[in-house]
């Protein structure tokens, strides 16, 4: 058996058109496109590449991106001030902060993000709203993209055993909640999990966000499992996932790396920005 590919690139391409249409409608009504601000501290080639990819994507659907570059040694107060200013700026509808933050910056600075502009879903309010299954939650784009892939491939989640490997705030944990909200039975694994393979072999849906190249091997996956590989690792100049290539021989569906979960993240960030813009408009109309 060879797995069917969950083609994130193809789905992202078709969604790009849907979003471009929605943006055009927005511009007709509001006069100017939604804008995403990206806050970056210091220079980092990988982060620059990611930001350029976002800029290209947003431009392609008619939205705007504003880069806010802070010095690598900028203070906690400077970062907080930048986030507060963006929160008050009516020309900005979405804000993301490039992570990880430098060591001298405390995570709590992210509480200064305006929750309604937090299109990466990292503000505690959005994490809480996700927990409560509220429609108002802005949900991290990567797990949201994976759920959209499952939906568009008509892969039913209800009642399935879903196993997550990884519990990060931005991927593993929100993915576990999204699967739970869709009535999967969810198990979350991490570094302290005992006998990981025994648990991964129980999965109908296995989602992996670990950051270790090819860590999940064929022996750890039972026949027919749907596998979502969030991993992005560079090995000898090649991008590889957290799931070994051999898993495709036993899985029923699998996301390739590159071309699976990755392209969906960018597209969901666009959708979140549009959603944030619409929500801000509603709130202004109510005020
Ligand atoms: P983090 O480093 O924040 O989290 C990694 C998680 O994996 C932790 O929960 C950790 O457990 C767990 N883990 C690490 N080693 C093991 C192990 N040996 N056994 C079991 N669990 C383990 O990573 P992220 O979630 O941010 O990213 C994970 C991967 O996804 C990376 O490759 C990253 O590049 C990629 N990524 C992809 C995105 C996309 O757009 N597709 C977006 C964001 C990330 P513990 O909590 O115990 O430490």
């Amino acid at each position: 058996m060879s797995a069917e590919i969950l083609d994130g690139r193809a789905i992202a391409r078709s969604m790009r058109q849907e979003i471009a249409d929605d943006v055009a409608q927005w511009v007709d009504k509001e006069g100017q496109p939604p804008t995403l601000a990206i806050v970056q501290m210091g220079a980092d080639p990988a982060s620059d590449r990611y930001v350029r990819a976002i800029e290209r994507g947003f431009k392609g659907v008619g939205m705007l991106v504003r880069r806010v570059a802070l010095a690598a040694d900028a203070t906690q107060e400077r970062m907080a001030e930048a986030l507060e200013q963006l929160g008050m700026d009516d020309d900005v509808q979405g804000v993301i902060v490039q992570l990880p933050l430098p060591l001298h910056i405390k995570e709590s600075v992210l509480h200064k993000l305006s929750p309604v502009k937090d299109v990466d879903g990292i503000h505690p309010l959005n994490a809480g709203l996700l927990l409560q299954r509220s429609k108002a939650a802005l949900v991290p784009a990567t797990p949201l993209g994976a759920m959209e892939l499952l939906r568009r491939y008509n892969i039913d989640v209800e009642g399935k055993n879903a196993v997550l490997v990884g519990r990060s705030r931005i991927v593993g944990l929100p993915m576990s909640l999204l699967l739970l909200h869709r009535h999967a039975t969810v198990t979350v694994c991490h570094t302290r999990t005992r006998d990981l393979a025994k648990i991964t072999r129980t999965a109908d849906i296995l989602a992996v966000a670990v950051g270790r190249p090819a860590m999940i091997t064929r022996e750890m996956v039972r026949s027919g499992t749907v596998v979502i590989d969030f991993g992005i690792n560079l090995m000898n100049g090649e991008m590889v996932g957290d799931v070994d290539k051999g898993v495709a021989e036993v899985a029923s569906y699998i996301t390739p790396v590159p071309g699976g979960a990755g392209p969906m993240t960018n597209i969901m960030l666009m959708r979140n920005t549009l959603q944030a813009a619409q929500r801000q408009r509603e709130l202004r109309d109510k005020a």
Side-chain angles (χ1 to χ4, degrees):
M1 181 166 143
S2 188
E4 186 172 333
I5 295 296
L6 294 170
D7 190 345
R9 231 177 239 141
I11 299 290
R13 207 177 300 125
S14 62
M15 285 184 71
R16 209 166 283 139
Q17 191 50 54
E18 296 165 17
I19 292 174
D21 294 344
D22 289 346
V23 171
Q25 269 186 25
W26 173 269
V27 174
D28 272 352
K29 270 202 284 187
E30 305 291 330
Q32 60 175 16
T35 296
L36 172 73
I38 305 177
V39 182
Q40 238 181 329
M41 274 188 91
D44 169 62
S47 165
D48 276 342
R49 253 198 318 277
Y50 179 60
V51 171
R52 278 199 301 276
I54 294 176
E55 281 173 335
R56 269 197 310 277
F58 272 64
K59 205 171 153 202
V61 297
M63 286 199 272
L64 302 176
V65 172
R66 186 197 296 179
R67 279 202 203 205
V68 180
L70 301 181
D73 61 354
T75 60
Q76 177 95 6
E77 291 70 31
R78 175 71 196 92
M79 175 68 146
E81 184 192 20
L83 295 181
E84 278 170 349
Q85 276 170 1
L86 289 168
M88 288 183 293
D89 188 336
D90 286 341
D91 290 335
V92 169
Q93 286 73 33
V95 180
I96 62 172
V97 178
Q98 279 296 82
L99 301 174
L101 294 166
L103 289 175
H104 69 284
I105 300 288
K106 294 194 196 85
E107 285 268 321
S108 57
V109 79
L110 299 174
H111 300 186
K112 299 287 180 190
L113 277 164
S114 158
V116 283
K117 298 187 179 182
D118 166 37
V119 290
D120 250 347
I122 55 176
H123 189 282
L125 183 70
N126 282 312
L129 288 171
L130 171 60
L131 203 73
Q132 293 180 342
R133 232 182 144 180
S134 163
K135 283 204 168 71
L138 283 164
V139 179
T142 301
L144 206 54
M147 293 304 290
E148 188 67 21
L149 262 183
L150 293 174
R151 195 177 73 79
R152 292 197 181 226
Y153 276 86
N154 296 317
I155 295 171
D156 200 13
V157 169
E158 186 171 330
K160 300 281 170 63
N161 288 337
V163 174
L164 276 297
V165 188
R167 56 176 169 179
S168 70
R169 258 184 323 155
I170 195 99
V171 191
L173 202 54
M175 184 71 189
S176 72
L177 289 171
L178 291 171
L179 285 162
L180 195 59
H181 294 340
R182 293 267 308 276
H183 312 296
T185 302
V186 178
T187 307
V188 183
C189 304
H190 45 78
T191 51
R192 315 288 167 88
T193 297
R194 294 191 196 138
D195 201 349
L196 180 64
K198 188 175 167 196
I199 300 173
T200 55
R201 277 197 296 266
T202 65
D204 300 310
I205 298 170
L206 176 64
V208 188
V210 168
R212 290 173 182 260
M215 179 192 144
I216 302 294
T217 56
R218 185 186 160 143
E219 298 68 42
M220 298 170 79
V221 181
R222 74 170 180 213
S223 178
T225 303
V226 175
V227 178
I228 295 167
D229 185 358
F230 289 111
I232 300 177
N233 310 286
L234 272 183
M235 259 181 61
N236 307 322
E238 196 197 342
M239 191 194 286
V240 298
D242 291 343
V243 175
D244 188 67
K245 294 235 180 301
V247 171
E249 290 162 25
V250 288
S252 56
Y253 291 87
I254 194 164
T255 55
V257 177
M264 294 300 290
T265 294
N266 201 338
I267 211 81
M268 298 316 278
L269 193 59
M270 296 175 198
R271 211 163 82 171
N272 276 357
T273 304
L274 200 53
Q275 181 192 326
Q278 283 157 347
R279 178 97 184 109
Q280 286 157 54
R281 160 116 313 285
E282 281 165 22
L283 290 172
R284 263 202 309 275
D285 288 348
K286 268 193 207 154

